Amino acid sequence: MNNFSKFNHLIINSKEDYILFKLGTHGEIKYCFLDKSYEPMEIQELYKGGVLKYSVTIDKKDKIHLIALMKSGELIYSIYHEGNWSNTTIAKFDFRSNIFNNIKIISEEGNVHIIYDFANLINSKLRTIQHVVGNNTNWKQHNITKFVSDRVSNPFTIDLDSFGTIHLLYRSLEGDISQIYHTFYNPYSDKWNTTPQKLTTSNTNKLYPYIFVDTKNNLHGLWLEEINNNYVLKYSKVDSSRMQKYIWKHIKIPYIEKCNNMPIMLEEKDTLKIIYSIIDGIGYLYSLDRGDTWSKGEISNIGSSNINLIRISNSIFETNIIKINDTYYSMDKGLEFYFLDNFNSSSSTAANKPFFDIEDELEQSRILQDIEEISIKIAQLAESHDEIKNTLNQTLASQNKIEKKISYILEILETKKNSIFDKFFK
């Protein structure tokens, strides 16, 4: 299976400013505002290094919330507001005994929800999903559930409905077979459902669970299922009218095989779209009746190595006409968001270079900075060399004078020596 980078986040505020966040190879978090051509206007740095994992979101007041798990074990919560960052350490994890995997953050009605999973080093297959909720002063922790994992990179996904309920879809092993489960958090009782519901029962492996709540509060679940050595797209839903009991209904969709990564869902103007990645391209299905029936859309033939996934958080799109949590894009022929009508696409030269290639831009910037620093050091060394050379020349000149004086003294002593001896022995 292909592993896409999940280190990119795109934030869109109410002014329709696009802010790109990226985790660098050295654990640094860089971010920048983008102009209308997706050109970085100014690259800034939140952390210079030491970040293992991070997640970022934006609330309705345009405050950006970022959670970072550091290599030191610190869990740091940062808020960006009116051009300034504030940072608070809210926990310290012990990496000597635990392994941490996914971490996600969402903001809702003044509270921040942080959800992550971890395992003990002694039994790394048994993982625990935890939930921390707070408002930067008071924090409360919940144990959501335990599950058995084979270290798949994304064993769970989350989404939020309009009532503030957090829905979580996760994958757990039962013997050698993985199944998909759903659980949820009730904000009014401040509790998680204690009995997760199993969505699947077949004796085949499942991968990449994905949950999506549409603008009418219907739940949609996606995953891949192994059938005849192929991974096939599967889909299930819960109608908002059945939300009290969360009765999942399996829906027949067009047969999509040879999938190789996580399917995602989005909504645009009452049209639901499932975007899926296959070995030699990317395609989509669409539904005009809230997921009861699905039709096959077009397929874009592009190598999966050129396709990337980005997490999107915004304060303008979550309306009654559009909702997007994730999307796929490529830079193969200029910037292209796949099967989206409400995102601007650009194939200009300016857009080709920097939008999601910020790391190259940053690397060039670092190289130029290193060159400048080296040039300064060389100039300083050259200046020091000149000073040392002058000092040595002065020292040599003084030494020559001293040697001449010594020679003169020795010459005088040599000429006077006989006369002195003569006085004693004459």
Side-chain angles (χ1 to χ4, degrees), residues 77-228:
Y77 171 49
S78 302
I79 300 176
Y80 181 84
H81 184 55
E82 296 181 348
N84 296 308
W85 287 98
S86 61
N87 304 309
T88 305
T89 300
I90 62 175
K92 181 67 181 289
F93 295 130
D94 185 5
F95 289 158
R96 294 172 298 178
S97 59
N98 293 318
I99 307 168
F100 291 83
N101 191 13
N102 287 292
I103 186 165
K104 302 179 188 296
I105 184 172
I106 54 177
S107 176
E108 190 272 329
E109 296 299 330
N111 282 325
V112 170
H113 302 268
I114 303 163
I115 299 177
Y116 54 89
D117 70 284
F118 69 94
N120 190 277
L121 285 170
I122 297 175
N123 185 5
S124 61
K125 287 187 175 182
L126 181 62
R127 306 192 71 85
T128 300
I129 304 178
Q130 285 189 334
H131 170 213
V132 176
V133 56
N135 55 13
N136 202 25
T137 54
N138 298 312
W139 299 94
K140 185 176 181 179
Q141 180 177 294
H142 301 273
N143 283 332
I144 301 174
T145 190
K146 292 183 182 293
F147 66 98
V148 180
S149 171
D150 52 4
R151 296 186 179 182
V152 171
S153 60
N154 59 334
F156 75 88
T157 56
I158 59 174
D159 202 4
L160 189 73
D161 68 24
S162 63
F163 305 107
T165 304
I166 301 174
H167 295 276
L168 186 148
L169 215 63
Y170 68 96
R171 171 186 181 270
S172 180
L173 289 176
E174 296 181 357
D176 295 329
I177 302 301
S178 53
Q179 305 291 355
I180 305 297
Y181 289 82
H182 166 247
T183 189
F184 62 92
Y185 167 78
N186 188 324
Y188 303 105
S189 62
D190 190 28
K191 293 181 179 179
W192 282 87
N193 175 37
T194 56
T195 309
Q197 184 178 359
K198 185 192 290 188
L199 274 67
T200 59
T201 56
S202 63
N203 193 31
T204 57
N205 279 314
K206 291 86 182 174
L207 285 177
Y208 300 119
Y210 187 82
I211 193 165
F212 181 79
V213 184
D214 67 26
T215 58
K216 303 298 182 183
N217 286 316
N218 301 299
L219 302 186
H220 306 270
L222 300 169
W223 63 90
L224 303 183
E225 189 165 324
E226 188 177 15
I227 300 175
N228 297 327

Side-chain angles (χ1 to χ4, degrees), residues 122-387:
I122 297 175
N123 185 5
S124 61
K125 287 187 175 182
L126 181 62
R127 306 192 71 85
T128 300
I129 304 178
Q130 285 189 334
H131 170 213
V132 176
V133 56
N135 55 13
N136 202 25
T137 54
N138 298 312
W139 299 94
K140 185 176 181 179
Q141 180 177 294
H142 301 273
N143 283 332
I144 301 174
T145 190
K146 292 183 182 293
F147 66 98
V148 180
S149 171
D150 52 4
R151 296 186 179 182
V152 171
S153 60
N154 59 334
F156 75 88
T157 56
I158 59 174
D159 202 4
L160 189 73
D161 68 24
S162 63
F163 305 107
T165 304
I166 301 174
H167 295 276
L168 186 148
L169 215 63
Y170 68 96
R171 171 186 181 270
S172 180
L173 289 176
E174 296 181 357
D176 295 329
I177 302 301
S178 53
Q179 305 291 355
I180 305 297
Y181 289 82
H182 166 247
T183 189
F184 62 92
Y185 167 78
N186 188 324
Y188 303 105
S189 62
D190 190 28
K191 293 181 179 179
W192 282 87
N193 175 37
T194 56
T195 309
Q197 184 178 359
K198 185 192 290 188
L199 274 67
T200 59
T201 56
S202 63
N203 193 31
T204 57
N205 279 314
K206 291 86 182 174
L207 285 177
Y208 300 119
Y210 187 82
I211 193 165
F212 181 79
V213 184
D214 67 26
T215 58
K216 303 298 182 183
N217 286 316
N218 301 299
L219 302 186
H220 306 270
L222 300 169
W223 63 90
L224 303 183
E225 189 165 324
E226 188 177 15
I227 300 175
N228 297 327
N229 296 320
N230 273 319
Y231 280 95
V232 178
L233 180 64
K234 293 293 181 177
Y235 166 72
S236 189
K237 68 170 290 190
V238 176
D239 288 325
S240 57
S241 60
R242 299 180 179 181
M243 203 64 74
Q244 288 289 343
K245 296 182 180 180
Y246 293 113
I247 301 173
W248 286 89
K249 179 183 178 182
H250 291 281
I251 304 293
K252 185 177 181 180
I253 60 175
Y255 187 76
I256 306 296
E257 63 175 349
K258 298 182 180 179
C259 296
N260 67 343
N261 217 292
M262 185 170 66
I264 65 170
M265 184 178 285
L266 54 92
E267 179 182 352
E268 291 185 296
K269 298 179 181 179
D270 292 326
T271 299
L272 293 172
K273 295 180 181 179
I274 297 173
I275 302 178
Y276 58 88
S277 169
I278 55 178
I279 294 173
D280 53 356
I282 187 167
Y284 78 99
L285 307 177
Y286 66 93
S287 173
L288 304 177
D289 55 9
R290 294 288 161 186
D292 288 332
T293 59
W294 290 87
S295 300
K296 198 170 183 179
E298 63 182 285
I299 295 178
S300 178
N301 296 318
I302 183 172
S304 59
S305 61
N306 295 319
I307 302 171
N308 297 279
L309 177 67
I310 191 168
R311 182 75 178 172
I312 294 178
S313 178
N314 61 85
S315 57
I316 60 170
F317 285 162
E318 292 187 13
T319 65
N320 291 327
I321 61 170
I322 182 170
K323 183 181 177 184
I324 300 174
N325 296 333
D326 304 270
T327 191
Y328 283 109
Y329 71 92
S330 78
M331 295 295 295
D332 187 51
K333 297 178 181 178
L335 175 62
E336 182 178 3
F337 294 101
Y338 286 104
F339 315 122
L340 285 176
D341 300 326
N342 289 276
F343 269 61
N344 292 325
S345 228
S346 176
S347 59
S348 66
T349 303
N352 275 344
K353 179 180 62 142
F355 187 69
F356 293 103
D357 243 354
I358 298 298
E359 189 61 33
D360 293 339
E361 189 91 7
L362 297 174
E363 189 63 32
Q364 291 174 11
S365 176
R366 283 195 291 266
I367 291 171
L368 291 174
Q369 185 177 358
D370 290 343
I371 291 173
E372 184 178 355
E373 290 177 357
I374 291 170
S375 298
I376 292 172
K377 289 179 180 179
I378 290 173
Q380 291 173 343
L381 287 172
E383 185 176 347
S384 300
H385 179 267
D386 290 339
E387 291 178 357

